[in-house]
Amino acid sequence: MKISKVVFPVGGLGKRFFPITRAIPKEMLGIMDKPLIHYAFEEAMAAGIEKFIFVTRHGKDSIEDYFDYMFAHSEYFDIKIGSVCYVRQNEPLGLGHAVLCAKNLIGNEPFAVMSADDFILHSKSCLSEMIKCYDGSNMVATVSVAPQDVDKYGILDVDREMNKLLVAKSVDEKPSIKDAKSTYAIVGRYLLSHEIFCILENLKPGTGGEIQLTDALLRMIPSHGLVGFKFEGKRFDCGSKEGLLSAILNVANQDKTLHHIIKNFYEEQR
Ligand code: G1P
């Protein structure tokens, strides 16, 4: 099934990276010479996405400036000029609310959502692999996390497994370790039916007082199902210092001109 639009929710405050995110959007933090949002954009492009919708807010103008520059110099950056739109999220009311802000730009078609701070390092685009398996059920990327980390994620309650796909019978946003039904966490890649907007419009705040996308997915299970896609490649939570550092090291290590720096560093520590 064709998916041609992606929503990038980039209105978050990036609190785990204060003070730098007081002045720089977390999506503009760099892995070597490219910001996180650039990698997400490339992954979407590789998946055939044609329309890129950024849900942004005050203080995030550098994202627009960055893509203006990229498109003006697209011949150097291997970036195609797609159709790019920016819509404002005036208050940080949660991921579900951010997605709802894009409603008028989506129309009656399924669409993708990508969180730039979930960086996935792989030769294939994770989003592209998901689209190949998409059959109209709401789909999320998923990975098994350590039990002590389940309270950081949306967690699937898995009914059955079919190769790369996990069919969920329920989903819970940031459960405690004792309430979690599995360790399969939602990673920031979603393929959603446009009907999610009706649910989001009527949703009450959930965990953390925010409008949670996970709660909308839960409500839609009877009508649209929910599947987790077990993606290939390494995922880094670049909304945390540990994740960003680890992503930088992994990317640098793949670069022949840089990996001696990492090797030398470890040798010096011995
Ligand atoms: C959001 C979602 C959560 C998901 C996570 C993935 O949480 O609400 O379900 O597992 O992204 O990164 P956040 O990290 O915004 O708190």
Side-chain angles (χ1 to χ4, degrees):
M1 203 178 278
K2 181 153 171 69
I3 298 217
S4 63
K5 296 179 182 172
V6 66
V7 176
F8 294 119
V10 295
L13 299 174
K15 283 187 190 158
R16 286 186 286 171
F17 269 110
F18 279 172
I20 190 170
T21 44
R22 289 279 186 202
I24 295 170
K26 71 172 170 181
E27 297 78 12
M28 289 300 291
L29 296 175
I31 298 183
M32 310 312 303
D33 54 351
K34 289 190 283 193
L36 288 168
I37 190 69
H38 187 131
Y39 289 96
F41 195 96
E42 282 179 337
E43 188 183 321
M45 261 190 346
I49 298 290
E50 290 156 5
K51 186 164 186 169
F52 305 84
I53 301 162
F54 293 80
V55 181
T56 177
R57 72 169 176 89
H58 168 79
K60 300 269 181 164
D61 301 357
S62 58
I63 297 176
E64 295 179 46
D65 295 345
Y66 181 79
F67 282 102
D68 283 355
Y69 182 82
M70 281 293 130
F71 297 140
H73 300 87
S74 55
E75 70 276 23
Y76 302 118
F77 295 107
D78 200 18
I79 233 170
K80 262 196 294 182
I81 309 179
S83 157
V84 174
C85 313
Y86 299 93
V87 54
R88 301 291 266 199
Q89 182 186 20
N90 291 325
E91 290 171 280
L93 297 180
L95 182 58
H97 177 257
V99 172
L100 182 57
C101 292
K103 178 184 172 200
N104 293 337
L105 296 166
I106 298 289
N108 293 336
E109 57 186 290
F111 64 101
V113 174
M114 296 176 76
S115 302
D117 52 6
D118 272 324
F119 171 64
I120 298 175
L121 188 58
H122 192 51
S123 53
K124 291 183 199 155
S125 153
C126 171
L127 194 71
S128 170
E129 296 300 293
M130 286 174 74
I131 292 174
K132 282 183 199 156
C133 296
Y134 181 68
D135 68 355
S137 298
N138 286 329
M139 184 184 280
V140 295
T142 188
V143 70
S144 183
V145 295
Q148 65 272 18
D149 287 337
V150 290
D151 62 355
K152 295 185 186 142
Y153 299 98
I155 298 291
L156 301 176
D157 183 358
V158 179
D159 185 36
R160 57 188 194 281
E161 197 164 340
M162 301 185 311
N163 301 321
K164 291 178 190 169
L165 301 182
L166 301 177
V167 179
K169 56 178 178 228
S170 184
V171 62
D172 195 5
E173 180 67 10
K174 303 190 172 78
S176 65
I177 188 165
K178 73 172 176 28
D179 292 332
K181 297 287 190 302
S182 79
T183 54
Y184 279 109
I186 299 179
V187 168
R189 305 285 182 276
Y190 302 79
L191 300 178
L192 303 173
S193 157
H194 69 277
E195 285 165 61
I196 201 159
F197 292 120
C198 300
I199 309 285
L200 287 170
E201 272 166 343
N202 296 300
L203 211 55
K204 299 226 161 56
T207 305
E210 296 186 342
I211 308 287
Q212 296 290 355
L213 191 56
T214 302
D215 293 344
L217 293 172
L218 173 65
R219 296 248 183 127
M220 290 178 82
I221 289 178
S223 54
H224 290 76
L226 176 63
V227 288
F229 177 82
K230 290 195 286 175
F231 58 93
E232 289 170 29
K234 253 184 172 175
R235 170 256 178 190
F236 303 90
D237 171 13
C238 291
S240 74
K241 289 180 200 168
E242 298 82 349
L244 184 66
L245 176 59
S246 182
I248 292 169
L249 290 170
N250 275 268
V251 171
N253 204 37
Q254 288 188 348
D255 182 333
K256 287 195 188 86
T257 66
L258 293 173
H259 79 227
H260 69 281
I261 306 275
I262 299 174
K263 204 167 141 245
N264 292 349
F265 174 79
Y266 285 116
E267 275 165 13
E268 281 162 21
Q269 305 306 306
R270 281 202 193 133

mmCIF file of all heavy atoms in Angstrom, residues 14 38 71 85-86 90 123 159 172 181 241:
data_model
loop_
_atom_site.group_PDB
_atom_site.id
_atom_site.type_symbol
_atom_site.label_atom_id
_atom_site.label_comp_id
_atom_site.label_asym_id
_atom_site.label_seq_id
_atom_site.Cartn_x
_atom_site.Cartn_y
_atom_site.Cartn_z
ATOM 1 N N GLY A 14 13.037 18.682 24.440
ATOM 2 C CA GLY A 14 14.394 18.119 24.533
ATOM 3 C C GLY A 14 15.012 18.330 25.899
ATOM 4 O O GLY A 14 16.208 18.625 26.017
ATOM 5 N N HIS A 38 18.210 15.120 9.584
ATOM 6 C CA HIS A 38 18.657 14.812 8.229
ATOM 7 C C HIS A 38 18.618 13.293 7.988
ATOM 8 O O HIS A 38 18.180 12.823 6.941
ATOM 9 C CB HIS A 38 20.073 15.360 8.025
ATOM 10 C CG HIS A 38 20.584 15.251 6.616
ATOM 11 N ND1 HIS A 38 21.152 16.294 5.949
ATOM 12 C CD2 HIS A 38 20.630 14.195 5.755
ATOM 13 C CE1 HIS A 38 21.515 15.901 4.734
ATOM 14 N NE2 HIS A 38 21.218 14.624 4.597
ATOM 15 N N PHE A 71 17.806 22.188 0.234
ATOM 16 C CA PHE A 71 17.103 22.175 -1.048
ATOM 17 C C PHE A 71 17.772 23.117 -2.046
ATOM 18 O O PHE A 71 17.836 22.824 -3.234
ATOM 19 C CB PHE A 71 15.625 22.524 -0.866
ATOM 20 C CG PHE A 71 14.900 21.521 -0.008
ATOM 21 C CD1 PHE A 71 13.962 21.918 0.925
ATOM 22 C CD2 PHE A 71 15.182 20.164 -0.122
ATOM 23 C CE1 PHE A 71 13.319 20.988 1.725
ATOM 24 C CE2 PHE A 71 14.542 19.228 0.674
ATOM 25 C CZ PHE A 71 13.614 19.649 1.601
ATOM 26 N N CYS A 85 6.268 20.981 4.304
ATOM 27 C CA CYS A 85 5.353 21.915 4.971
ATOM 28 C C CYS A 85 5.711 21.979 6.452
ATOM 29 O O CYS A 85 6.164 20.987 7.022
ATOM 30 C CB CYS A 85 3.909 21.442 4.961
ATOM 31 S SG CYS A 85 3.318 20.864 3.437
ATOM 32 N N TYR A 86 5.463 23.114 7.032
ATOM 33 C CA TYR A 86 5.685 23.297 8.463
ATOM 34 C C TYR A 86 4.372 23.709 9.107
ATOM 35 O O TYR A 86 3.690 24.595 8.601
ATOM 36 C CB TYR A 86 6.748 24.375 8.702
ATOM 37 C CG TYR A 86 8.076 24.003 8.092
ATOM 38 C CD1 TYR A 86 8.409 24.417 6.797
ATOM 39 C CD2 TYR A 86 8.988 23.214 8.782
ATOM 40 C CE1 TYR A 86 9.622 24.053 6.211
ATOM 41 C CE2 TYR A 86 10.201 22.849 8.214
ATOM 42 C CZ TYR A 86 10.514 23.268 6.940
ATOM 43 O OH TYR A 86 11.711 22.907 6.371
ATOM 44 N N ASN A 90 1.515 24.769 19.090
ATOM 45 C CA ASN A 90 1.743 25.922 19.966
ATOM 46 C C ASN A 90 2.047 25.558 21.419
ATOM 47 O O ASN A 90 2.663 26.333 22.136
ATOM 48 C CB ASN A 90 0.572 26.901 19.884
ATOM 49 C CG ASN A 90 0.553 27.552 18.512
ATOM 50 O OD1 ASN A 90 1.612 27.803 17.919
ATOM 51 N ND2 ASN A 90 -0.629 27.784 17.969
ATOM 52 N N SER A 123 21.735 -0.501 6.655
ATOM 53 C CA SER A 123 21.906 -0.200 5.227
ATOM 54 C C SER A 123 20.551 -0.003 4.546
ATOM 55 O O SER A 123 20.445 0.682 3.535
ATOM 56 C CB SER A 123 22.683 -1.333 4.559
ATOM 57 O OG SER A 123 22.041 -2.552 4.860
ATOM 58 N N ASP A 159 0.031 -10.774 21.018
ATOM 59 C CA ASP A 159 -0.901 -11.897 20.894
ATOM 60 C C ASP A 159 -0.226 -13.046 20.147
ATOM 61 O O ASP A 159 -0.235 -14.191 20.578
ATOM 62 C CB ASP A 159 -2.144 -11.399 20.136
ATOM 63 C CG ASP A 159 -3.214 -12.459 20.064
ATOM 64 O OD1 ASP A 159 -3.348 -13.203 21.043
ATOM 65 O OD2 ASP A 159 -3.894 -12.543 19.027
ATOM 66 N N ASP A 172 0.432 -0.268 26.074
ATOM 67 C CA ASP A 172 0.366 0.550 27.286
ATOM 68 C C ASP A 172 1.508 1.560 27.244
ATOM 69 O O ASP A 172 2.647 1.192 26.950
ATOM 70 C CB ASP A 172 0.518 -0.408 28.492
ATOM 71 C CG ASP A 172 0.117 0.251 29.789
ATOM 72 O OD1 ASP A 172 -0.370 1.392 29.762
ATOM 73 O OD2 ASP A 172 0.305 -0.402 30.849
ATOM 74 N N LYS A 181 3.486 -5.933 29.868
ATOM 75 C CA LYS A 181 3.062 -7.246 29.359
ATOM 76 C C LYS A 181 4.138 -7.906 28.501
ATOM 77 O O LYS A 181 4.021 -9.065 28.133
ATOM 78 C CB LYS A 181 1.784 -7.102 28.532
ATOM 79 C CG LYS A 181 0.594 -6.595 29.348
ATOM 80 C CD LYS A 181 0.081 -7.708 30.266
ATOM 81 C CE LYS A 181 -1.239 -7.387 30.944
ATOM 82 N NZ LYS A 181 -1.254 -6.183 31.757
ATOM 83 N N LYS A 241 21.842 11.277 26.348
ATOM 84 C CA LYS A 241 23.281 11.469 26.109
ATOM 85 C C LYS A 241 23.943 10.154 25.742
ATOM 86 O O LYS A 241 24.769 10.089 24.836
ATOM 87 C CB LYS A 241 23.951 12.022 27.375
ATOM 88 C CG LYS A 241 23.581 13.445 27.678
ATOM 89 C CD LYS A 241 24.300 13.889 28.948
ATOM 90 C CE LYS A 241 23.584 15.091 29.517
ATOM 91 N NZ LYS A 241 24.008 15.422 30.862
#
